[in-house]
Amino acid sequence: MFKKIIQYLMVGLLVGVPASLAMQPAVSQAATATTTPATLPTAPKIDASAAIAVDAKSGQVLFEQNADQALPIASMTKMITAYIVLTQIKQGKLKWEQTIKPDTTIYKLSQDKDLTNVPLQAEGQYTVRELYQAMLIASANDAAMMLANAVAGSQKDFVDLMRQQVSQWGIQDAKLYSVSGLNNEYLTGAMYPGSAKDAENEMSAVDMAIVAQKLLTDFPDVLTTTKQATFTFGSKTSDETKFTTFNLMLPGQKNASTDYIVDGLKTGTTDKAGDCFTGTATKEGQRIITVVLHANGSDTGRRFIETGKLMTDVFDNWAPQTLVKPQASIAGYEKATVKYGRQATVPLVANQAIMLWLPKGATSKNVDWQYQAVKGGTKRQVQAPIKKGTTVGQVSPQIAGTTTRFLKTQPTYSLKTQKTDPKANVFVLIGIGVKEFFTDLF
C-alpha cells in the first residue's frame, strides 16, 4: 500500500526530486568465493571388520570403513552402562559410597574363571565407586551387573534404559541384550526375556563413536578412571586383588604411542566380536575418538595396532583449522542488500568461530559453504528497519570436492547483521518509490 501511494503521489513531483535520490543504484550480490577441491590424504588400510575416526568435539568423520554395519561390540557396551550410572549419580539417585550386595545370579557368574570378573563374596557389600572402577578398568562383568541392579532393580529393566538412552541419541539399529556385553550363553538367569540363547549386543562403529562422544562430552571426568593402568579391588580385605588395564595404549603400556596420548576408553572381546577397541587420544590440544571392530591378525595386540594406524593417520594428515573468527565475515557472504534502508547494504558476520578439520596443506580456499536462508531469501535481500544481530541465514562448511560427514547433524552457524539499519528518510523513500513506479511501467 505504501509503495502505491508513493508511486502515485510522486508522479507530479518527479521534476523536483534530485536525481541522486530518485535513482539510487542497485547493489550487486557478492558471489561465493571460488573454491578448489581439496586433495584428500590416502586412507590407511585398517585390518578390521569396521573402523571410524572422528573429532571428539564436532563429530566430524575423518575416516570410516564399513562404519554403518551393526556388529558385536562385547565389553564396549560398558560405556553405555557407565553413562547411565554417571547420570544417576549426577541426579542424586545413586551415591558413590552407596554399597551393593550381589544377587545369587551375579555371585554365581563371578565365580566363573573363564570370564572377566572381580572376586565377590555372596554376602559382600561393595561401593558404587569400586564397582564403577572395576567395570571400566578391569572390565568386570559382575561389577557392571551389580551397578545395573542398583539403578534399575533388574538386568532387564536396565537394558530397557540402555535402549531408551541410545534411541535418544538417534541410534536406531542397536541390538542390546546385556548390561556387560556378554553373550547370552553366559547369562543363565539374567537373559533378556525373549532373546536368543546366543544373542549378543551389536552396534555399528558410528554408533560406538556417538556413545563415546556423549560420554566424553557429558562426563569428561570418566577419563580420570579410564586412564588408570592399574586398580586394586577389595583393598584391605581377603579378596584384595590388583588388576591391570586391558588398554595397552595407555602411557607406559606395550602399545603406547610416543606421538600422542591415549587416555581411554574401552576394550571389548568375545568370540563373536573378536578384539574391539573404542579409543580416544589427544595431541596438541585436539582430541579424537576411534573405533575398531573385530581387528584381524595374529598379534595379541591387533586391536591396538590397527587403532594406532588410525590415530597416527589422523594426526599426521589432518588438522583443525579456524575458518572464521567470531564476529568475522565469510567470503561470499559478507553482506545483505537492504530495501528502504539508510544504507544500501548491511554487513553480515558469523555468530561464533567456525572450525573444520582439513587435510594438511588445505586452506579456506578448499572449503565450500552451504547456505540456508532465514530472512531475505537466498539473495539475502532484507527490508529496513533491520536490527543489529538479526539472523539472515545459516551456514555450514564442507571440504570442497567431497561430502563432509558428521556423526549426527552437521553443525550450522548463524550469519547475523553486524549493524542496525533504520528505515531511510522520506526523501530517499520518495526516490525509491518513483524509481519503482517507472520500473513497473516498463
Side-chain angles (χ1 to χ4, degrees):
M1 184 67 182
F2 172 78
K3 175 180 174 181
K4 290 299 181 184
I5 293 174
I6 291 294
Q7 288 175 345
Y8 284 70
L9 179 63
M10 289 304 103
V11 171
L13 300 177
L14 178 59
V15 177
V17 176
S20 61
L21 296 180
M23 300 301 289
Q24 196 176 49
V27 178
S28 61
Q29 190 67 38
T32 302
T34 303
T35 59
T36 303
T39 302
L40 299 179
T42 302
K45 295 181 180 179
I46 303 302
D47 191 9
S49 295
I52 195 170
V54 303
D55 170 40
K57 186 175 182 179
S58 69
Q60 181 185 346
V61 177
L62 305 171
F63 171 91
E64 59 178 311
Q65 173 182 302
N66 192 34
D68 294 306
Q69 181 183 357
L71 295 166
I73 59 172
S75 283
M76 294 192 302
T77 299
K78 294 181 176 79
M79 290 192 294
I80 307 172
T81 304
Y83 186 95
I84 295 175
V85 167
L86 290 170
T87 299
Q88 294 280 311
I89 291 172
K90 182 178 180 180
Q91 294 174 351
K93 298 177 181 178
L94 202 64
K95 306 293 183 182
W96 280 118
E97 301 310 317
Q98 177 180 335
T99 58
I100 307 169
K101 176 184 174 182
D103 62 18
T104 302
T105 299
I106 295 174
Y107 172 71
K108 182 178 179 180
L109 181 138
S110 74
Q111 306 308 302
D112 189 337
K113 303 303 181 183
D114 292 330
L115 301 178
T116 304
N117 293 307
V118 286
L120 299 178
Q121 296 292 330
E123 299 300 320
Q125 297 283 342
Y126 305 92
T127 67
V128 168
R129 187 183 303 279
E130 64 183 332
L131 292 172
Y132 170 79
Q133 292 173 321
M135 175 179 68
L136 288 182
I137 302 171
S139 198
N141 298 298
D142 50 1
M145 294 172 71
M146 288 178 67
L147 289 169
N149 280 354
V151 169
S154 72
Q155 301 296 294
K156 185 264 181 190
D157 287 345
F158 193 89
V159 171
D160 286 340
L161 288 179
M162 295 168 68
R163 292 178 175 184
Q164 294 169 15
Q165 183 64 77
V166 299
S167 179
Q168 290 174 13
W169 292 336
I171 298 172
Q172 303 300 328
D173 58 351
K175 299 176 182 178
L176 297 174
Y177 308 104
S178 76
V179 306
S180 64
L182 281 175
N183 188 287
N184 266 355
E185 64 178 302
Y186 298 104
L187 295 175
T188 303
M191 284 177 52
Y192 191 88
S195 60
K197 292 182 179 180
D198 64 344
E200 189 166 318
N201 295 347
E202 294 184 9
M203 295 175 70
S204 69
V206 167
D207 296 338
M208 294 313 303
I210 291 173
V211 171
Q213 185 190 37
K214 290 292 185 180
L215 185 57
L216 291 175
T217 300
D218 294 347
F219 301 105
D221 285 349
V222 71
L223 295 172
T224 302
T225 300
T226 61
K227 71 180 181 181
Q228 294 180 42
T230 61
F231 164 69
T232 299
F233 184 81
S235 180
K236 298 180 181 180
T237 72
S238 59
D239 291 324
E240 181 172 308
T241 307
K242 184 176 182 179
F243 290 90
T244 302
T245 179
F246 286 96
N247 182 358
L248 300 185
M249 295 190 77
L250 294 181
Q253 300 300 303
K254 176 183 175 182
N255 296 103
S257 172
T258 57
D259 192 45
Y260 46 82
I261 297 174
V262 174
D263 50 7
L265 279 166
K266 192 68 194 71
T267 57
T269 310
T270 63
D271 290 342
K272 280 189 175 183
D275 288 5
C276 305
F277 181 46
T278 296
T280 184
T282 58
K283 182 177 181 179
E284 298 175 355
Q286 301 300 325
R287 180 175 293 281
I288 63 171
I289 295 167
T290 61
V291 180
V292 169
L293 298 179
H294 203 302
N296 300 314
S298 58
D299 194 295
T300 55
R302 48 190 171 269
R303 56 186 160 194
F304 307 119
I305 292 172
E306 300 308 314
T307 297
K309 290 180 185 177
L310 198 46
M311 290 181 171
T312 298
D313 173 75
V314 170
F315 286 129
D316 283 355
N317 296 300
W318 293 81
Q321 290 196 28
T322 300
L323 304 177
V324 181
K325 295 180 180 180
Q327 303 303 310
S329 62
I330 299 173
Y333 299 91
E334 299 94 338
K335 57 190 175 182
T337 57
V338 183
K339 191 173 185 179
Y340 305 137
R342 293 184 183 179
Q343 303 295 325
T345 64
V346 62
L348 300 177
V349 294
N351 66 322
Q352 64 187 88
I354 302 178
M355 186 274 287
L356 191 70
W357 284 70
L358 298 177
K360 288 187 176 179
T363 69
S364 58
K365 293 183 178 180
N366 303 113
V367 174
D368 287 328
W369 293 92
Q370 295 179 342
Y371 178 83
Q372 182 177 357
V374 173
K375 182 185 283 294
T378 56
K379 294 184 178 180
R380 303 184 295 285
Q381 296 175 330
V382 295
Q383 183 169 317
I386 290 292
K387 294 182 179 179
K388 179 180 179 180
T390 299
T391 300
V392 175
Q394 303 279 349
V395 293
S396 55
Q398 289 269 324
I399 299 173
T402 187
T403 300
T404 306
R405 183 179 180 182
F406 291 79
L407 286 180
K408 297 191 71 178
T409 305
Q410 180 172 355
T412 59
Y413 306 88
S414 295
L415 278 182
K416 296 179 176 288
T417 52
Q418 191 179 32
K419 297 180 179 179
T420 295
D421 192 0
K423 185 170 285 189
N425 63 47
V426 66
F427 296 107
V428 173
L429 293 175
I430 289 172
I432 294 173
V434 171
K435 175 187 173 184
E436 290 180 344
F437 173 75
F438 281 100
T439 299
D440 289 347
L441 287 179
F442 298 99

